[in-house]
Amino acid sequence: MVTEIEPTKFNATLLAQIFHFLALLVILRLVAYKPLLRILEQRQNTVVSKLAQAEEARAEAEKIKAELEAEMRRTREEAQRIIDRATKASEEQAQAIMETAKEEASRMKEGALAEIERERDKVLAELKDQVANMAVLVAGKVIREGLTADMQARLIKDAVSEVKSLPC
């Protein structure tokens, strides 16, 4: 059988349990809760501080990155300008060399043509001298021998063979 508790009877253990529970809450509040809150607040402040430092470091890194990219862009542009100047200078130098070579070739050609002209004039002068000498010899033979048709043909044949043997 179950014993029934009378509603009019006061249970002192319940009151003691409530008192002990409240005393425990006060002690915990004084001893554990405030220090725990302080530790949690410090931890939160540390996390916030570290996040702020990380954000500052990230911003600084982005700033340095932007500066380095700008410097690299300026360096590339300067290198391209140097390359362009060197290319232009080499093209101008190549053009000057080509013009000098053309002028030299033209001078050499003119010199060679002048030399050929001198040699031709010299050969023609020698040829004229030889033809004149030959004419004198033929005339001398004609005068000495008297000229018949056979002799005239023979003289022409001899003159032609002598002209063929001349160095030209």
Side-chain angles (χ1 to χ4, degrees), residues 146-166:
L147 195 53
T148 63
D150 287 338
M151 289 175 74
Q152 186 178 9
R154 193 184 60 172
L155 285 175
I156 291 172
K157 190 176 176 185
D158 289 344
V160 169
S161 65
E162 286 182 30
V163 169
K164 284 184 182 177
S165 66
L166 291 176

Side-chain angles (χ1 to χ4, degrees), residues 63-128:
K63 179 182 172 187
I64 291 171
K65 178 184 174 189
E67 289 172 358
L68 289 175
E69 287 174 351
E71 182 64 28
M72 285 177 58
R73 188 175 47 254
R74 284 191 299 271
T75 304
R76 281 190 205 115
E77 290 170 357
E78 180 63 25
Q80 188 61 43
R81 281 193 297 272
I82 290 170
I83 290 170
D84 291 343
R85 281 194 306 256
T87 302
K88 184 178 178 183
S90 66
E91 288 172 356
E92 289 172 355
Q93 188 175 19
Q95 185 66 28
I97 290 170
M98 289 296 290
E99 288 175 11
T100 303
K102 285 179 184 178
E103 290 172 2
E104 182 67 25
S106 177
R107 279 196 300 273
M108 289 175 68
K109 180 181 174 184
E110 288 173 7
L113 288 174
E115 181 68 26
I116 291 170
E117 186 68 27
R118 283 191 299 274
E119 286 295 319
R120 186 180 68 84
D121 290 345
K122 182 179 170 184
V123 168
L124 285 176
E126 287 177 7
L127 185 60
K128 284 181 184 178

Side-chain angles (χ1 to χ4, degrees), residues 135-150:
V136 169
L137 284 174
V138 168
K141 283 184 182 181
V142 168
I143 293 175
R144 279 191 315 247
E145 295 181 10
L147 195 53
T148 63
D150 287 338

Side-chain angles (χ1 to χ4, degrees), residues 37-54:
L37 282 179
R38 216 177 13 248
I39 291 171
L40 289 175
E41 187 178 326
Q42 287 174 351
R43 177 71 179 144
Q44 184 180 7
N45 290 340
T46 303
V47 169
V48 168
S49 171
K50 296 288 184 184
L51 286 175
Q53 289 174 353

